Structure formats: C-alpha cells, structure tokens
Amino acid sequence: MIQVSPQTRILVAVDAVDFRNGIDGLARVCLEQLQADPFSGRLFVFRNRRRTALKILAYDGRGFWLCQKRLSRGRFGFWPVSPTGVTKALEAHEFYVLLAGGDPASAPAAPVWRPVSVPG
C-alpha cells in the first residue's frame, strides 16, 4: 500500500509522458529523463498530454506500485513548470491538492520545520 506522509519525497515530471507506458516504461523515464532512481522510495507523478489523467509510480521495497487517476470531466488546470529542470518537488499536502485538481501553490500549510527556542 502506498502511504504518503509529510516525509514522503514526491517528484512531479514537468513534461507529459506516453500513457501506454507501464511500470517498466515509467521506471525508464525516471532513470533516463528525470535522472532519478525509481527504487528510491519516492513517488513519481506523471501526466498525459491532454492533462486528463495522472500516473503515480512508487517502489515500496518489495515491488512497484502503479496508480492511475483519470478525471471524468475536465482537465488538471495546474501543472508545475520548471524552466531549468524536468521535475518539481511537492510536499505531501500539495500532492493531495494536485490529485483533487487544484493548484498546490495555493494550499497554505505550516512550515515543514520550525526551530524550537529553549527558554533561557
């Protein structure tokens, strides 16, 4: 089972991929295009050209998971853009907003890490 926690590393591919790819094809995209190890435990999120579906590839230590979400109506309005890279990192709460078809940048959240002050 895929579990997404605040510590989960999530990479979103900026460019669309061929959705005929299965696990092996998307793992190859991770290695060759994203320059990332598909066995790293990260979640890799891909979209189709029409922005109507997402595929998520994850390795849990024993095997790969491949999940797909296809919208019944409309398109994913937001998709990350990176002029210098091929991936965009997302936090867990941003990932859930993306899955719901929203804009992760508009999802306010507490900082991931806050320094603790020791009373003196």
mmCIF file of all heavy atoms in Angstrom, residues 35-67:
data_model
loop_
_atom_site.group_PDB
_atom_site.id
_atom_site.type_symbol
_atom_site.label_atom_id
_atom_site.label_comp_id
_atom_site.label_asym_id
_atom_site.label_seq_id
_atom_site.Cartn_x
_atom_site.Cartn_y
_atom_site.Cartn_z
ATOM 1 N N GLN A 35 16.489 11.623 -14.351
ATOM 2 C CA GLN A 35 17.759 11.407 -13.647
ATOM 3 C C GLN A 35 17.523 11.063 -12.171
ATOM 4 O O GLN A 35 18.197 11.576 -11.285
ATOM 5 C CB GLN A 35 18.652 12.644 -13.766
ATOM 6 C CG GLN A 35 18.952 13.074 -15.182
ATOM 7 C CD GLN A 35 19.753 12.031 -15.956
ATOM 8 O OE1 GLN A 35 20.750 11.555 -15.458
ATOM 9 N NE2 GLN A 35 19.291 11.690 -17.129
ATOM 10 N N ALA A 36 16.544 10.198 -11.923
ATOM 11 C CA ALA A 36 16.193 9.811 -10.560
ATOM 12 C C ALA A 36 16.063 8.289 -10.493
ATOM 13 O O ALA A 36 15.689 7.645 -11.469
ATOM 14 C CB ALA A 36 14.884 10.467 -10.140
ATOM 15 N N ASP A 37 16.378 7.739 -9.343
ATOM 16 C CA ASP A 37 16.329 6.294 -9.134
ATOM 17 C C ASP A 37 14.900 5.861 -8.817
ATOM 18 O O ASP A 37 14.350 6.271 -7.788
ATOM 19 C CB ASP A 37 17.266 5.917 -7.985
ATOM 20 C CG ASP A 37 17.297 4.428 -7.707
ATOM 21 O OD1 ASP A 37 16.766 3.640 -8.521
ATOM 22 O OD2 ASP A 37 17.867 4.051 -6.665
ATOM 23 N N PRO A 38 14.267 5.045 -9.653
ATOM 24 C CA PRO A 38 12.900 4.609 -9.373
ATOM 25 C C PRO A 38 12.797 3.713 -8.142
ATOM 26 O O PRO A 38 11.713 3.546 -7.594
ATOM 27 C CB PRO A 38 12.486 3.863 -10.643
ATOM 28 C CG PRO A 38 13.753 3.480 -11.302
ATOM 29 C CD PRO A 38 14.773 4.499 -10.910
ATOM 30 N N PHE A 39 13.923 3.161 -7.669
ATOM 31 C CA PHE A 39 13.924 2.313 -6.474
ATOM 32 C C PHE A 39 14.135 3.123 -5.189
ATOM 33 O O PHE A 39 14.328 2.554 -4.123
ATOM 34 C CB PHE A 39 15.018 1.250 -6.583
ATOM 35 C CG PHE A 39 14.772 0.249 -7.679
ATOM 36 C CD1 PHE A 39 15.332 0.415 -8.923
ATOM 37 C CD2 PHE A 39 13.975 -0.855 -7.454
ATOM 38 C CE1 PHE A 39 15.114 -0.504 -9.939
ATOM 39 C CE2 PHE A 39 13.739 -1.788 -8.454
ATOM 40 C CZ PHE A 39 14.307 -1.613 -9.706
ATOM 41 N N SER A 40 14.132 4.440 -5.272
ATOM 42 C CA SER A 40 14.466 5.299 -4.131
ATOM 43 C C SER A 40 13.367 5.408 -3.086
ATOM 44 O O SER A 40 13.609 5.909 -1.999
ATOM 45 C CB SER A 40 14.804 6.709 -4.637
ATOM 46 O OG SER A 40 13.652 7.302 -5.216
ATOM 47 N N GLY A 41 12.153 4.984 -3.406
ATOM 48 C CA GLY A 41 11.046 5.128 -2.468
ATOM 49 C C GLY A 41 10.251 6.405 -2.680
ATOM 50 O O GLY A 41 9.249 6.630 -2.004
ATOM 51 N N ARG A 42 10.681 7.242 -3.597
ATOM 52 C CA ARG A 42 9.932 8.456 -3.920
ATOM 53 C C ARG A 42 8.651 8.097 -4.664
ATOM 54 O O ARG A 42 8.546 7.046 -5.276
ATOM 55 C CB ARG A 42 10.743 9.365 -4.837
ATOM 56 C CG ARG A 42 11.926 9.984 -4.225
ATOM 57 C CD ARG A 42 12.616 10.867 -5.255
ATOM 58 N NE ARG A 42 13.734 11.556 -4.666
ATOM 59 C CZ ARG A 42 14.905 11.711 -5.249
ATOM 60 N NH1 ARG A 42 15.112 11.226 -6.446
ATOM 61 N NH2 ARG A 42 15.872 12.347 -4.638
ATOM 62 N N LEU A 43 7.710 9.021 -4.649
ATOM 63 C CA LEU A 43 6.554 8.922 -5.523
ATOM 64 C C LEU A 43 6.862 9.743 -6.763
ATOM 65 O O LEU A 43 7.308 10.888 -6.663
ATOM 66 C CB LEU A 43 5.300 9.503 -4.871
ATOM 67 C CG LEU A 43 4.725 8.788 -3.664
ATOM 68 C CD1 LEU A 43 3.425 9.472 -3.240
ATOM 69 C CD2 LEU A 43 4.466 7.332 -3.950
ATOM 70 N N PHE A 44 6.651 9.168 -7.924
ATOM 71 C CA PHE A 44 6.854 9.861 -9.187
ATOM 72 C C PHE A 44 5.483 10.064 -9.816
ATOM 73 O O PHE A 44 4.737 9.108 -10.003
ATOM 74 C CB PHE A 44 7.750 9.044 -10.118
ATOM 75 C CG PHE A 44 9.145 8.882 -9.603
ATOM 76 C CD1 PHE A 44 9.507 7.758 -8.875
ATOM 77 C CD2 PHE A 44 10.102 9.866 -9.844
ATOM 78 C CE1 PHE A 44 10.795 7.607 -8.394
ATOM 79 C CE2 PHE A 44 11.396 9.722 -9.365
ATOM 80 C CZ PHE A 44 11.740 8.601 -8.636
ATOM 81 N N VAL A 45 5.164 11.310 -10.125
ATOM 82 C CA VAL A 45 3.852 11.653 -10.665
ATOM 83 C C VAL A 45 4.033 12.095 -12.117
ATOM 84 O O VAL A 45 4.867 12.959 -12.410
ATOM 85 C CB VAL A 45 3.191 12.779 -9.843
ATOM 86 C CG1 VAL A 45 1.798 13.081 -10.362
ATOM 87 C CG2 VAL A 45 3.147 12.403 -8.362
ATOM 88 N N PHE A 46 3.236 11.506 -13.001
ATOM 89 C CA PHE A 46 3.288 11.803 -14.429
ATOM 90 C C PHE A 46 1.887 12.184 -14.906
ATOM 91 O O PHE A 46 0.898 11.750 -14.326
ATOM 92 C CB PHE A 46 3.742 10.569 -15.223
ATOM 93 C CG PHE A 46 5.057 10.022 -14.792
ATOM 94 C CD1 PHE A 46 5.126 8.987 -13.867
ATOM 95 C CD2 PHE A 46 6.242 10.526 -15.312
ATOM 96 C CE1 PHE A 46 6.350 8.469 -13.461
ATOM 97 C CE2 PHE A 46 7.467 10.026 -14.913
ATOM 98 C CZ PHE A 46 7.517 8.991 -13.986
ATOM 99 N N ARG A 47 1.813 12.951 -15.992
ATOM 100 C CA ARG A 47 0.526 13.300 -16.588
ATOM 101 C C ARG A 47 0.527 12.939 -18.060
ATOM 102 O O ARG A 47 1.580 12.819 -18.677
ATOM 103 C CB ARG A 47 0.224 14.784 -16.421
ATOM 104 C CG ARG A 47 1.085 15.671 -17.290
ATOM 105 C CD ARG A 47 0.557 17.104 -17.313
ATOM 106 N NE ARG A 47 1.502 17.984 -17.968
ATOM 107 C CZ ARG A 47 1.495 18.256 -19.275
ATOM 108 N NH1 ARG A 47 0.599 17.703 -20.056
ATOM 109 N NH2 ARG A 47 2.398 19.071 -19.800
ATOM 110 N N ASN A 48 -0.670 12.803 -18.606
ATOM 111 C CA ASN A 48 -0.774 12.577 -20.043
ATOM 112 C C ASN A 48 -0.803 13.923 -20.765
ATOM 113 O O ASN A 48 -0.876 14.987 -20.133
ATOM 114 C CB ASN A 48 -1.992 11.717 -20.383
ATOM 115 C CG ASN A 48 -3.311 12.378 -20.052
ATOM 116 O OD1 ASN A 48 -3.378 13.416 -19.401
ATOM 117 N ND2 ASN A 48 -4.389 11.760 -20.482
ATOM 118 N N ARG A 49 -0.730 13.896 -22.078
ATOM 119 C CA ARG A 49 -0.657 15.138 -22.855
ATOM 120 C C ARG A 49 -1.911 16.001 -22.708
ATOM 121 O O ARG A 49 -1.834 17.216 -22.721
ATOM 122 C CB ARG A 49 -0.439 14.814 -24.330
ATOM 123 C CG ARG A 49 0.903 14.202 -24.624
ATOM 124 C CD ARG A 49 1.170 14.116 -26.120
ATOM 125 N NE ARG A 49 2.150 13.159 -26.552
ATOM 126 C CZ ARG A 49 3.389 13.052 -26.122
ATOM 127 N NH1 ARG A 49 3.815 13.812 -25.164
ATOM 128 N NH2 ARG A 49 4.219 12.159 -26.610
ATOM 129 N N ARG A 50 -3.052 15.374 -22.585
ATOM 130 C CA ARG A 50 -4.316 16.118 -22.512
ATOM 131 C C ARG A 50 -4.625 16.635 -21.108
ATOM 132 O O ARG A 50 -5.629 17.301 -20.911
ATOM 133 C CB ARG A 50 -5.450 15.227 -22.999
ATOM 134 C CG ARG A 50 -5.341 14.935 -24.479
ATOM 135 C CD ARG A 50 -6.428 14.033 -24.975
ATOM 136 N NE ARG A 50 -7.698 14.300 -24.296
ATOM 137 C CZ ARG A 50 -8.759 13.528 -24.374
ATOM 138 N NH1 ARG A 50 -8.717 12.443 -25.096
ATOM 139 N NH2 ARG A 50 -9.857 13.830 -23.729
ATOM 140 N N ARG A 51 -3.799 16.279 -20.136
ATOM 141 C CA ARG A 51 -3.988 16.681 -18.725
ATOM 142 C C ARG A 51 -5.288 16.154 -18.147
ATOM 143 O O ARG A 51 -5.917 16.808 -17.312
ATOM 144 C CB ARG A 51 -3.941 18.199 -18.574
ATOM 145 C CG ARG A 51 -2.600 18.791 -18.815
ATOM 146 C CD ARG A 51 -2.606 20.251 -18.481
ATOM 147 N NE ARG A 51 -1.291 20.811 -18.722
ATOM 148 C CZ ARG A 51 -0.892 21.959 -18.270
ATOM 149 N NH1 ARG A 51 -1.700 22.696 -17.552
ATOM 150 N NH2 ARG A 51 0.317 22.392 -18.526
ATOM 151 N N THR A 52 -5.694 14.977 -18.562
ATOM 152 C CA THR A 52 -6.914 14.383 -18.032
ATOM 153 C C THR A 52 -6.619 13.227 -17.082
ATOM 154 O O THR A 52 -7.538 12.715 -16.451
ATOM 155 C CB THR A 52 -7.814 13.858 -19.166
ATOM 156 O OG1 THR A 52 -7.062 12.919 -19.938
ATOM 157 C CG2 THR A 52 -8.305 14.991 -20.044
ATOM 158 N N ALA A 53 -5.361 12.815 -16.995
ATOM 159 C CA ALA A 53 -5.023 11.659 -16.157
ATOM 160 C C ALA A 53 -3.622 11.809 -15.569
ATOM 161 O O ALA A 53 -2.762 12.474 -16.132
ATOM 162 C CB ALA A 53 -5.104 10.376 -16.983
ATOM 163 N N LEU A 54 -3.441 11.154 -14.423
ATOM 164 C CA LEU A 54 -2.149 11.087 -13.743
ATOM 165 C C LEU A 54 -1.782 9.631 -13.527
ATOM 166 O O LEU A 54 -2.667 8.789 -13.331
ATOM 167 C CB LEU A 54 -2.208 11.738 -12.360
ATOM 168 C CG LEU A 54 -2.586 13.192 -12.245
ATOM 169 C CD1 LEU A 54 -2.645 13.588 -10.774
ATOM 170 C CD2 LEU A 54 -1.596 14.050 -12.980
ATOM 171 N N LYS A 55 -0.493 9.349 -13.534
ATOM 172 C CA LYS A 55 0.016 8.047 -13.111
ATOM 173 C C LYS A 55 1.048 8.298 -12.019
ATOM 174 O O LYS A 55 1.848 9.229 -12.118
ATOM 175 C CB LYS A 55 0.665 7.277 -14.266
ATOM 176 C CG LYS A 55 -0.331 6.582 -15.160
ATOM 177 C CD LYS A 55 0.346 5.615 -16.105
ATOM 178 C CE LYS A 55 -0.696 4.860 -16.926
ATOM 179 N NZ LYS A 55 -0.068 3.888 -17.820
ATOM 180 N N ILE A 56 1.004 7.457 -11.000
ATOM 181 C CA ILE A 56 1.929 7.564 -9.872
ATOM 182 C C ILE A 56 2.691 6.253 -9.775
ATOM 183 O O ILE A 56 2.089 5.179 -9.686
ATOM 184 C CB ILE A 56 1.168 7.829 -8.565
ATOM 185 C CG1 ILE A 56 0.339 9.103 -8.696
ATOM 186 C CG2 ILE A 56 2.140 7.923 -7.393
ATOM 187 C CD1 ILE A 56 -0.739 9.219 -7.648
ATOM 188 N N LEU A 57 4.010 6.349 -9.803
ATOM 189 C CA LEU A 57 4.887 5.188 -9.688
ATOM 190 C C LEU A 57 5.595 5.259 -8.351
ATOM 191 O O LEU A 57 6.139 6.300 -7.981
ATOM 192 C CB LEU A 57 5.914 5.185 -10.826
ATOM 193 C CG LEU A 57 6.905 4.028 -10.840
ATOM 194 C CD1 LEU A 57 6.197 2.718 -11.191
ATOM 195 C CD2 LEU A 57 8.027 4.302 -11.829
ATOM 196 N N ALA A 58 5.578 4.149 -7.620
ATOM 197 C CA ALA A 58 6.255 4.097 -6.318
ATOM 198 C C ALA A 58 6.837 2.712 -6.101
ATOM 199 O O ALA A 58 6.275 1.710 -6.552
ATOM 200 C CB ALA A 58 5.275 4.423 -5.198
ATOM 201 N N TYR A 59 7.962 2.674 -5.418
ATOM 202 C CA TYR A 59 8.597 1.410 -5.035
ATOM 203 C C TYR A 59 8.560 1.330 -3.514
ATOM 204 O O TYR A 59 8.995 2.255 -2.829
ATOM 205 C CB TYR A 59 10.043 1.352 -5.545
ATOM 206 C CG TYR A 59 10.714 0.028 -5.267
ATOM 207 C CD1 TYR A 59 10.391 -1.089 -6.005
ATOM 208 C CD2 TYR A 59 11.659 -0.089 -4.256
ATOM 209 C CE1 TYR A 59 10.988 -2.307 -5.748
ATOM 210 C CE2 TYR A 59 12.267 -1.308 -4.000
ATOM 211 C CZ TYR A 59 11.930 -2.411 -4.746
ATOM 212 O OH TYR A 59 12.518 -3.625 -4.497
ATOM 213 N N ASP A 60 8.037 0.217 -2.976
ATOM 214 C CA ASP A 60 7.875 0.103 -1.523
ATOM 215 C C ASP A 60 8.892 -0.818 -0.857
ATOM 216 O O ASP A 60 8.743 -1.175 0.303
ATOM 217 C CB ASP A 60 6.457 -0.343 -1.169
ATOM 218 C CG ASP A 60 6.130 -1.762 -1.610
ATOM 219 O OD1 ASP A 60 7.017 -2.454 -2.157
ATOM 220 O OD2 ASP A 60 4.976 -2.189 -1.401
ATOM 221 N N GLY A 61 9.933 -1.213 -1.573
ATOM 222 C CA GLY A 61 10.943 -2.100 -1.009
ATOM 223 C C GLY A 61 10.745 -3.551 -1.421
ATOM 224 O O GLY A 61 11.665 -4.357 -1.321
ATOM 225 N N ARG A 62 9.554 -3.902 -1.858
ATOM 226 C CA ARG A 62 9.273 -5.271 -2.288
ATOM 227 C C ARG A 62 8.779 -5.332 -3.723
ATOM 228 O O ARG A 62 8.770 -6.386 -4.332
ATOM 229 C CB ARG A 62 8.216 -5.892 -1.372
ATOM 230 C CG ARG A 62 8.662 -5.835 0.084
ATOM 231 C CD ARG A 62 7.893 -6.764 0.907
ATOM 232 N NE ARG A 62 8.545 -8.071 0.758
ATOM 233 C CZ ARG A 62 8.001 -9.196 1.132
ATOM 234 N NH1 ARG A 62 6.809 -9.195 1.644
ATOM 235 N NH2 ARG A 62 8.634 -10.320 0.993
ATOM 236 N N GLY A 63 8.344 -4.191 -4.235
ATOM 237 C CA GLY A 63 7.830 -4.154 -5.602
ATOM 238 C C GLY A 63 7.317 -2.771 -5.943
ATOM 239 O O GLY A 63 7.298 -1.870 -5.111
ATOM 240 N N PHE A 64 6.904 -2.626 -7.186
ATOM 241 C CA PHE A 64 6.402 -1.340 -7.665
ATOM 242 C C PHE A 64 4.888 -1.264 -7.547
ATOM 243 O O PHE A 64 4.185 -2.259 -7.702
ATOM 244 C CB PHE A 64 6.787 -1.126 -9.137
ATOM 245 C CG PHE A 64 8.191 -0.668 -9.329
ATOM 246 C CD1 PHE A 64 9.170 -1.576 -9.699
ATOM 247 C CD2 PHE A 64 8.544 0.656 -9.155
ATOM 248 C CE1 PHE A 64 10.475 -1.164 -9.887
ATOM 249 C CE2 PHE A 64 9.837 1.078 -9.343
ATOM 250 C CZ PHE A 64 10.815 0.170 -9.704
ATOM 251 N N TRP A 65 4.410 -0.060 -7.290
ATOM 252 C CA TRP A 65 3.002 0.277 -7.346
ATOM 253 C C TRP A 65 2.816 1.228 -8.522
ATOM 254 O O TRP A 65 3.627 2.131 -8.723
ATOM 255 C CB TRP A 65 2.556 1.014 -6.084
ATOM 256 C CG TRP A 65 2.430 0.156 -4.887
ATOM 257 C CD1 TRP A 65 3.407 -0.154 -3.994
ATOM 258 C CD2 TRP A 65 1.253 -0.493 -4.435
ATOM 259 N NE1 TRP A 65 2.907 -0.960 -3.016
ATOM 260 C CE2 TRP A 65 1.587 -1.187 -3.260
ATOM 261 C CE3 TRP A 65 -0.054 -0.561 -4.916
ATOM 262 C CZ2 TRP A 65 0.652 -1.934 -2.552
ATOM 263 C CZ3 TRP A 65 -0.980 -1.304 -4.206
ATOM 264 C CH2 TRP A 65 -0.620 -1.985 -3.041
ATOM 265 N N LEU A 66 1.759 1.038 -9.281
ATOM 266 C CA LEU A 66 1.404 1.961 -10.338
ATOM 267 C C LEU A 66 -0.073 2.312 -10.158
ATOM 268 O O LEU A 66 -0.931 1.435 -10.231
ATOM 269 C CB LEU A 66 1.642 1.351 -11.726
ATOM 270 C CG LEU A 66 1.340 2.260 -12.911
ATOM 271 C CD1 LEU A 66 2.189 3.518 -12.874
ATOM 272 C CD2 LEU A 66 1.551 1.513 -14.208
ATOM 273 N N CYS A 67 -0.331 3.573 -9.893
ATOM 274 C CA CYS A 67 -1.704 4.042 -9.688
ATOM 275 C C CYS A 67 -2.045 5.032 -10.795
ATOM 276 O O CYS A 67 -1.179 5.762 -11.262
ATOM 277 C CB CYS A 67 -1.835 4.752 -8.347
ATOM 278 S SG CYS A 67 -1.348 3.745 -6.954
#
